[in-house]
Amino acid sequence: MSRDSAGEAGDDGYSVVYDLDSDCTAEDVEEETPYLAEINGIVDYGVFVDLSDSVSGLVHESVLEGTYRVGEELVVELETVRENGDMAFKPADVDVEEYTVREVGHDYSLTGTDRLEANAGDQIHIEGEVVQVKQTGGPTIFHVADEHGVVPCAAFEEAGVRAYPSVEVGDLVRVTGVPERRDDSFQIEVDGLSTLDGETEAQARKRLEAALEDRASPHDVEPLIDWPAFEKLRPDLEEVARRLRRTVLEGRPIRVRHHADGDGMCAAVPVRIALERFIADVHENDDAPRHLVKRLPAKAPFYEMEDATRDLNFALEDREKHGQQLPLLLMLDNGSTAEDVPAYETLAHYDIPIVAIDHHHPDPEAVEGLLDAHVNPYLHDEDYRITTGMLCVELARMIYPDLTDELRHIPAVAGLADRSKADAMDDYLELAAEEGYDEKRLKDVSEALDYAAFWLRYDSGDRVIRDLLEIDVGEPQRHRDLVSLFADRARTEVDDQLTDAMVHVEHESLANDAHLYRIDVENYAHRFTYPAPGKTTGEIHDRKVEETGGPVITVGYGPDFAVLRSDGVRLDIPTMVSELEAEVPGAGVSGGGHLVVGSIKFVEGKREDVIDALVEKMAAADIDEELSTAAPIDD
């Protein structure tokens, strides 16, 4: 730092006295220059003065006149620096009644969090935004994000006592400290921490925002296959990838909720792993991937209030205990309908951002005002045949493209799990075959996922699902053995269920020449075991389609629900549900799904009225041979 000599005069003609910023060091002090100091101690041989937090020294009694007190200001200049670094000062030749004060800031050489290893053991300075403040039984840990990443900074006041209590999440700070290795990552041991303000803050925030926006950009990856229908959704997915990468860079947690079926898991697991690997690149904390992204299945085909309140409570507890920001909610293979609104409105009171990627028939007018981003093929004149798993494999690659080789077979698994008849299925099957997955093996994986999802219920079963999908695992033989075990068990238990249930299936021919099959799954199928009512109905349906070869509708019903499947009949279940709400008053009808697969709920006492009205609509539906087996039914 340079400045004019002590003879400099201010604009008012008075002498200039310099006031060092609290961050200034001995390197900022020059000879023959007057500085404003504060007396912090008085001894027989002189007074001790502070020029900044780290610059202090002695003014010897031999150069002093008069009396002094602690806290009094004194204008001094440097007299000498001893060999041990101690500084001595003397009173400056300045008229104490007539001088102008100029503030002096420290000229920092900032070190990015990408250069911690090269500067290990040396004092450095970083500037960034506080994204988390965690109080431990020892130091306070400030997680600070700069242009390159996020690093934990440990500041110690005393055991369990909050250091720098005025510093909060969102503040821009300058940290002075020493990087030290902790296992495979680094932590900065804090020597000093100060909040930026004024022009310094504005410039730092502008610099950080430009760097963050640049690094948040999704990777430009070519889709795994050439598929014109997907290209319509690609810009929407790129914006979601940008939002998710930025969320990681901002140190905000991400909570993934997904439908608990094969397509939902094919969507959620690749995205979670991509986020975990990006988090590991960004954060100097080995535990960050585990803490900042969590995945949980949702049994219902919408975001239930039970799940929403549980997620919200966990988020608030994490903010209280660990100083985390409230999370971003990522809904996958779910979250597009009016049934999601109450849960979304609950989270809106806490300003929790919500992103939904789904392929079920949406209610855009109901959810658009509550979603920060919404990707759905129906919004681009496409439909359910583009599954969420197919979309999210591409999303994962936009977030972390190095994952690509582990994901090539996943779109085919998602398509088979959801019985997609998309034009792209042949290309996806061929792509999977190149990775050693023939169609039988893919169907085994799909069956195994469904079986695992049933028994896991509300648990993510993360390691088991990764083993079944063969993503992020190192033991291929275990994958094969586990898939074989689960798929065989699933088929055996389905056969056992249908052996008892098929004799109770009722048949009638409808006016439109469609075959209607229905079964009371509450009374004529085994409960609380695999397969669940939706799966049981789907398996009966598949057998009847094969048996008749004609248009088939299958209904499995219980006291207050019905699950529907059709082949060759254009049911348009979302529209039917809306009509039933008005036509059967007091029935409390709700539900939805795709054009030819879905579920309906109603009050138990109105079951007969709802089923009768439903059959009338089925008899009036158009026959459409193009509409073949679609996704499994939501239980």
Side-chain angles (χ1 to χ4, degrees), residues 234-254:
R234 187 174 179 177
D236 291 350
L237 280 180
E238 288 173 340
E239 283 308 306
V240 171
R242 181 188 306 276
R243 182 180 291 272
L244 293 176
R245 285 175 60 89
R246 180 169 183 129
T247 299
V248 170
L249 294 167
E250 291 172 342
R252 180 193 287 267
I254 297 172

Side-chain angles (χ1 to χ4, degrees), residues 161-176:
V161 175
R162 172 74 141 82
Y164 303 100
S166 64
V167 176
E168 301 293 345
V169 170
D171 287 346
L172 286 189
V173 296
R174 181 180 297 128
V175 179
T176 299

